[in-house]
Amino acid sequence: MKRGIVPGTFDPITSGHLDIVERASALFDDVVVGVALSPEKNGGPLFTAQERVALIESATKHLSNVSVRAFDTLLVDFAEEVGASVIVKVLRAMTDFEREFQMAALNWRLDSKVETMFIMAIPEYMYLSSSAVKEIAAHGGTLRGLVPDVVCDALTTKLRSAR
Ligand code: PNS
């Protein structure tokens, strides 16, 4: 039984994230999407951890071997807790490489039983990030194709209530 873990902040999940989860779900017996609380990232996430989990659950409901859990520990400890032996990360442009290389090296140093595997983003999603999505939404731009539909609605509601 090979279990992979796809970690991230997912504030919110984008179509690029979803593509990686779908590809990981085809490679592993099952996949846990790990939602890091990341309270310190970019001044704090827009969506609560529960909201991010719910959005991912909704966006991945067509994938029967995918589950979603929030975590607030070291990633390698979370991987051990859920019984995952492989961390699946995405590489978009070269700009991701330095940070991802550092995290993979440190995670290996923390627990060499947990392997890190990289999946390349498809060209369509190479430029896509949660931050860009939030910026586009804040300025009223169209998000069609950039995020799952459920996220589109949630962003509209969230930004309206923040005004
Ligand atoms: O979507 P993000 O913000 O790029 O994801 C980063 C994440 C959550 C994968 C990373 O910050 C992480 O692994 N956090 C858990 C804490 C941890 O293990 N830190 C040490 C990694 S070297």
Side-chain angles (χ1 to χ4, degrees):
M1 175 86 173
K2 267 275 176 235
R3 176 166 295 156
I5 185 167
V6 181
T9 303
F10 302 108
D11 185 44
I13 184 170
T14 67
S15 301
H17 292 132
L18 182 56
D19 180 59
I20 298 303
V21 175
E22 285 171 342
R23 290 159 69 190
S25 86
L27 292 171
F28 292 92
D29 294 312
D30 71 44
V31 167
V32 176
V33 179
V35 178
L37 266 47
S38 302
E40 74 295 337
K41 196 178 175 187
N42 299 335
L46 177 65
F47 291 96
T48 66
Q50 292 91 322
E51 288 170 335
R52 286 178 272 149
V53 167
L55 289 172
I56 300 167
E57 281 174 344
S58 180
T60 59
K61 60 175 184 278
H62 59 297
L63 303 169
S64 59
N65 63 343
V66 171
S67 60
V68 189
R69 281 187 49 183
F71 73 100
D72 194 19
T73 60
L74 281 176
L75 178 55
V76 289
D77 291 340
F78 180 62
E80 180 161 357
E81 186 191 325
V82 299
S85 52
V86 182
I87 296 168
V88 181
K89 298 300 266 321
V90 60
L91 282 179
R92 292 168 300 184
M94 277 302 287
T95 43
D96 277 345
F97 185 79
E98 192 69 30
R99 180 168 177 262
E100 292 298 341
F101 191 72
Q102 181 191 31
M103 283 198 277
L106 286 172
N107 283 330
W108 188 85
R109 181 76 179 71
L110 290 165
D111 187 346
S112 59
K113 294 187 298 304
V114 182
E115 195 62 77
T116 299
M117 172 183 143
F118 290 100
I119 296 184
M120 299 298 296
I122 59 169
E124 198 181 336
Y125 300 138
M126 285 265 176
Y127 56 87
L128 192 54
S129 69
S130 298
S131 316
V133 158
K134 284 181 282 192
E135 196 168 324
I136 293 169
H139 293 288
T142 177
L143 292 173
R144 200 170 312 117
L146 301 182
V147 292
D149 288 346
V150 64
V151 172
C152 209
D153 297 342
L155 265 170
T156 309
T157 310
K158 180 67 92 176
L159 292 171
R160 197 179 297 137
S161 71
R163 275 191 202 120

